[in-house]
């Protein structure tokens, strides 16, 4: 792969990868760093890309793995266990100068933060990126049936979160 080809790939996938990462880490600076790490790893391993999957699937897999590694290293938890932690996360999201959403968006992000990691990833990929279950299956290494179940459970938990808020 030439540098010019890779530059085009970066141009095409920077924004969707950024938002996938951002939804996982909820921080603009961390998301930018992880996006750069994703593209550096992709460039370094471009010769290993076998063309047996789509380039987007390969990039998402790298981005998700980089993000999960980052979260493990930072000893952050993706599961908010108390209302105080959820409220703190919502305040953090709303205070972020790059967050341009409204109150409903902030509540949705707070609800998503309460999900276990797998459900959170699946929900973000399906709801925000409208990703196909077959693509998610390749990225996450899980069956489509398990992904559909995770998405369904995530939707139920988010609905319950909003119902409790009212």
């Amino acid at each position: 792969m030439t540098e010019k080809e890779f530059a085009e790939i970066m141009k095409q996938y920077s924004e969707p990868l950024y938002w996938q990462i951002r939804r996982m880490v909820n921080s603009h600076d961390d998301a930018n760093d992880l996006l750069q790490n994703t593209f550096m790893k992709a460039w370094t391993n471009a010769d290993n890309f076998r063309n047996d999957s789509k380039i987007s699937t390969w990039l998402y897999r790298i981005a998700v793995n980089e993000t999960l590694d980052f979260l493990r290293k930072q000893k952050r938890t993706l599961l908010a266990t108390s209302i105080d932690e959820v409220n703190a996360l919502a305040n953090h999201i709303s205070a972020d100068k790059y967050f341009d959403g409204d109150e409903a968006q902030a509540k949705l992000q707070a609800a998503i933060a309460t999900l276990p990691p797998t459900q959170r990833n699946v929900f973000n990929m399906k709801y925000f990126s409208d990703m196909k279950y077959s693509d998610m299956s390749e990225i996450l290494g899980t069956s489509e049936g398990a992904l559909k179940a995770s998405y369904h459970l995530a939707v139920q938990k988010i609905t319950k979160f909003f119902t409790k808020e009212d």
Side-chain angles (χ1 to χ4, degrees):
M1 180 179 309
T2 67
E3 286 183 34
K4 185 176 180 180
E5 290 170 328
F6 192 75
E8 284 299 313
I9 289 169
M10 286 178 61
K11 184 177 176 182
Q12 181 178 356
Y13 292 104
S14 286
E15 188 173 343
L17 286 172
Y18 168 83
W19 285 108
Q20 177 60 39
I21 294 167
R22 176 71 185 270
R23 288 181 201 102
M24 293 173 71
V25 297
N26 290 320
S27 163
H28 170 72
D29 293 332
D30 290 341
N32 266 343
D33 291 345
L34 289 163
L35 180 63
Q36 288 178 10
N37 291 350
T38 297
F39 282 125
M40 287 190 315
K41 189 169 267 189
W43 174 251
T44 304
N45 294 300
D47 294 338
N48 297 334
F49 180 66
R50 298 181 305 251
N51 286 323
D52 59 350
S53 65
K54 294 185 280 187
I55 192 82
S56 61
T57 302
W58 183 64
L59 289 171
Y60 270 90
R61 181 179 300 141
I62 294 170
V64 167
N65 287 337
E66 282 292 305
T67 305
L68 291 174
D69 286 347
F70 169 80
L71 291 170
R72 276 186 220 108
K73 287 177 187 170
Q74 296 298 314
K75 295 183 180 179
R76 293 183 183 168
T77 180
L78 296 175
L79 177 60
T81 55
S82 73
I83 296 301
D84 292 338
E85 289 172 343
V86 170
N87 290 336
L89 178 62
N91 291 336
H92 172 74
I93 291 168
S94 298
D96 188 331
K97 65 182 179 182
Y98 296 100
F99 178 74
D100 61 357
D102 56 14
E103 184 179 338
Q105 181 67 17
K107 283 184 180 179
L108 176 60
Q109 290 301 323
I112 292 168
T114 66
L115 298 173
T118 301
Q119 289 175 11
R120 184 177 181 176
N121 283 335
V122 171
F123 183 84
N124 284 332
M125 289 175 169
K126 186 67 178 164
Y127 183 80
F128 291 109
S129 301
D130 197 27
M131 194 176 288
K132 296 177 183 175
Y133 287 110
S134 58
D135 292 338
M136 283 191 278
S137 178
E138 276 191 63
I139 292 165
L140 299 173
T142 306
S143 73
E144 289 183 40
L147 294 169
K148 289 175 183 178
S150 289
Y151 183 75
H152 178 72
L153 289 170
V155 169
Q156 285 181 327
K157 289 177 182 178
I158 290 169
T159 302
K160 185 176 179 180
F161 181 91
F162 274 94
T163 316
K164 283 197 288 190
E165 290 282 311
D166 293 336

